[in-house]
């Protein structure tokens, strides 16, 4: 595994992976509590990094056009020294899987002008949570000095949509309050216009990819009239962990590879 030059930092990427793992654990706690409503959910963060945590960020959307669906998808965390994180987990529920395959495109201009078109499923999920994400970020960390945005799988799609939204609608600006984006196993999120606009926004973006993982290949770059293109700087490694799910797993594939970057496949028999 080869890393780009600065401003990429392996320790930052590892911290982001750890926090995405905390977001998955948050969802697991919600399921263990029988999926309570937000006001009844008692989340106890798995606080490995000694941070402060917001309340969960919930997605609320009209699902399959006839009922409302709500689940916790992320959170904001921050250190006492002024480092903030906006964190999104990946696919866990049946509703998440259905949104993943909604591969049509919608204009992102309803959120941020001049950003082309994006994946319909990711866009729908982000619309259902953007108000909560932006409000939580503004309220939780008004004095932060820098921000990391991160996610895995579906969460990478959401984190990618969050970057231009944060630039446009919060205090965070790349030239004043720096932002970095580390994502893991990201699918393609938007068309060429979106990718071009994104790559010009001055936010260092590192897309960690296991070349044996199928998810980053989706959606196809050409799908009839639809075009999809990746954003950011790829940070590739090649490691076969034995199953499709294993090659995509945050902890046992991506986090393992960051910790064992000279031999990312050494734990596989």
């Amino acid at each position: 595994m080869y890393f780009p030059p600065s401003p990429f930092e392996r320790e930052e990427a590892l911290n982001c992976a750890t926090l995405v793992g905390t977001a998955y654990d948050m969802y697991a706690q919600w399921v263990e509590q029988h999926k309570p409503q937000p006001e009844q959910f008692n989340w106890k963060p798995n606080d490995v990094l000694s941070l402060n945590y917001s309340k969960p960020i919930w997605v609320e959307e009209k699902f399959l056009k006839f009922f409302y669906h709500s689940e916790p998808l992320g959170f904001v965390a921050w250190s006492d020294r002024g480092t903030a994180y906006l964190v999104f987990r990946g696919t866990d529920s049946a509703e998440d899987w259905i949104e993943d395959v909604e591969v049509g495109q919608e204009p992102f201009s309803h959120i941020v002008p001049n950003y082309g078109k994006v994946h319909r499923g990711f866009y729908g999920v982000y619309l259902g949570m953007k108000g909560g994400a932006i409000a939580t970020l503004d309220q939780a960390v008004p004095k932060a000095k820098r921000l990391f945005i991160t996610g895995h799988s579906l969460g990478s799609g959401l984190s990618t949509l969050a970057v231009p939204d944060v630039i446009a609608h919060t205090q965070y600006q790349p030239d004043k309050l720096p932002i970095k984006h580390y994502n893991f196993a990201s699918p393609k999120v938007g068309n060429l216009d979106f990718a071009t606009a994104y790559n010009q926004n001055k936010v260092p973006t590192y897309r960690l990819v296991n070349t044996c993982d199928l998810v980053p290949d989706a959606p196809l770059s050409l799908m009839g009239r639809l075009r999809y293109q990746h954003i950011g700087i790829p940070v590739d490694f090649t490691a076969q962990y034995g199953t499709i799910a294993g090659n995509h797993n945050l902890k046992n594939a991506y986090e393992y590879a960051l910790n064992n970057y000279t031999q990312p496949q050494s734990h596989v028999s």
Side-chain angles (χ1 to χ4, degrees):
M1 192 175 191
Y2 296 95
F3 300 122
S6 181
F8 180 93
E9 296 290 344
R10 186 174 70 94
E11 290 301 320
E12 292 175 350
L14 278 167
N15 287 343
C16 286
T18 297
L19 286 168
V20 177
T22 299
Y24 277 111
D25 182 69
M26 175 182 66
Y27 179 82
Q29 290 184 37
W30 182 63
V31 172
E32 288 170 2
Q33 294 175 36
H34 306 290
K35 299 183 178 180
Q37 293 299 309
E39 58 272 16
Q40 276 86 47
F41 179 38
N42 181 25
W43 175 43
K44 296 181 179 179
N46 180 17
D47 185 21
V48 178
L49 300 178
S50 299
L51 299 173
N52 307 290
Y53 291 83
S54 73
K55 294 181 179 180
I57 297 170
W58 296 78
V59 57
E60 298 193 12
E61 58 177 333
K62 196 170 185 179
F63 182 67
L64 294 180
K65 301 182 180 180
F66 60 88
F67 71 90
Y68 281 92
H69 169 69
S70 179
E71 63 182 47
L73 261 173
F75 58 83
V76 172
W78 65 98
S79 73
D80 293 334
R81 295 185 177 183
T83 298
Y85 300 86
L86 177 59
V87 183
F88 302 100
R89 66 163 172 84
T91 301
D92 249 341
S93 68
E95 291 84 357
D96 297 341
W97 281 109
I98 292 173
E99 297 291 8
D100 288 348
V101 299
E102 286 280 347
V103 295
Q105 294 180 342
E106 298 290 341
F108 198 62
S109 57
H110 298 299
I111 297 177
V112 182
N114 304 315
Y115 263 84
K117 294 183 178 181
V118 297
H119 184 284
R120 180 174 296 149
F122 302 158
Y123 179 76
V125 175
Y126 190 72
L127 278 181
M129 65 184 300
K130 74 173 293 303
I134 297 300
T136 301
L137 188 61
D138 278 340
Q139 294 168 10
V141 284
K143 297 182 180 180
K145 299 175 182 177
R146 60 177 181 164
L147 172 66
F148 294 96
I149 300 178
T150 188
H152 171 252
S153 193
L154 165 64
S156 290
L158 300 176
S159 66
T160 296
L161 297 180
V163 169
D165 193 15
V166 166
I167 294 171
H169 298 121
T170 76
Q171 63 177 326
Y172 292 95
Q173 300 296 323
D175 296 331
K176 297 178 181 179
L177 291 170
I179 306 169
K180 281 190 191 180
H181 181 198
Y182 289 94
N183 69 53
F184 305 88
S186 180
K188 303 180 188 76
V189 176
N191 65 3
L192 175 60
D193 290 339
F194 177 83
T196 299
Y198 185 100
N199 290 334
Q200 293 174 349
N201 66 20
K202 299 182 181 179
V203 174
T205 295
Y206 301 102
R207 186 168 46 81
L208 285 89
V209 179
N210 179 5
T211 62
C212 294
D213 183 359
L214 297 180
V215 171
D217 293 332
L220 297 176
S221 297
L222 299 175
M223 300 181 64
R225 295 183 179 181
L226 299 180
R227 304 289 186 271
Y228 277 95
Q229 181 163 314
H230 272 304
I231 53 90
I233 298 170
V235 182
D236 295 343
F237 66 99
T238 300
Q240 178 57 252
Y241 299 109
T243 65
I244 292 174
N247 291 339
H248 184 62
N249 186 273
L250 172 69
K251 183 175 181 60
N252 296 326
Y254 286 86
E255 190 172 349
Y256 181 90
L258 280 169
N259 277 311
N260 301 274
Y261 54 91
T262 59
Q263 292 182 314
Q265 199 169 311
S266 63
H267 73 314
V268 178
S269 60

